[in-house]
Amino acid sequence: RYTAKHSALVHQGSEFDSGASYSPRRWIDAAEQETDFEFLMLDAYAEQPSIDYAFSQMVHGFFENCQEMILDERWTWPRPTVRQNEEIVASPRDIFDIGELYRSGSAEVFSND
């Protein structure tokens, strides 16, 4: 999950009454499409034959891919902008900016034990 206040805005995009809009950057969807869940699960199970362990490793592998998507310079934006860290970025670019979104991410796996 991502708890930064602007997580949904970045992922879903938005259009405002003023006519301004933010393009969606669906980093979670991209990570889902590019994650080999079966490989992660089977590889972890081969390491330690436990479904709980394998599932947990798969979840954490998916989360790592989500984090990598935030750092990936694949996201389009309609114009160059100055980020809060004063970096000027064009398109395509990453969605890291000052890292608030990246640092707000976490992956938790709950067990019935």
Side-chain angles (χ1 to χ4, degrees), residues 90-109:
S91 183
R93 59 178 151 188
D94 65 48
I95 53 176
F96 185 81
D97 197 1
I98 60 169
E100 183 180 351
L101 175 64
Y102 186 89
R103 287 188 302 278
S104 78
S106 65
E108 297 177 53
V109 179

Side-chain angles (χ1 to χ4, degrees), residues 20-71:
S21 65
Y22 288 107
S23 303
R25 277 78 39 93
R26 298 183 185 276
W27 81 95
I28 296 171
D29 296 349
E32 180 183 3
Q33 291 170 2
E34 296 179 27
T35 298
D36 186 342
F37 292 97
E38 183 178 354
F39 171 80
L40 290 174
M41 190 93 170
L42 291 172
D43 188 54
Y45 191 83
E47 180 183 322
Q48 182 176 325
S50 159
I51 295 295
D52 286 344
Y53 176 77
F55 184 78
S56 177
Q57 292 301 105
M58 180 192 66
V59 167
H60 287 93
F62 172 61
F63 174 68
E64 288 175 18
N65 288 345
C66 289
Q67 294 289 81
E68 288 176 16
M69 291 299 149
I70 291 172
L71 301 173

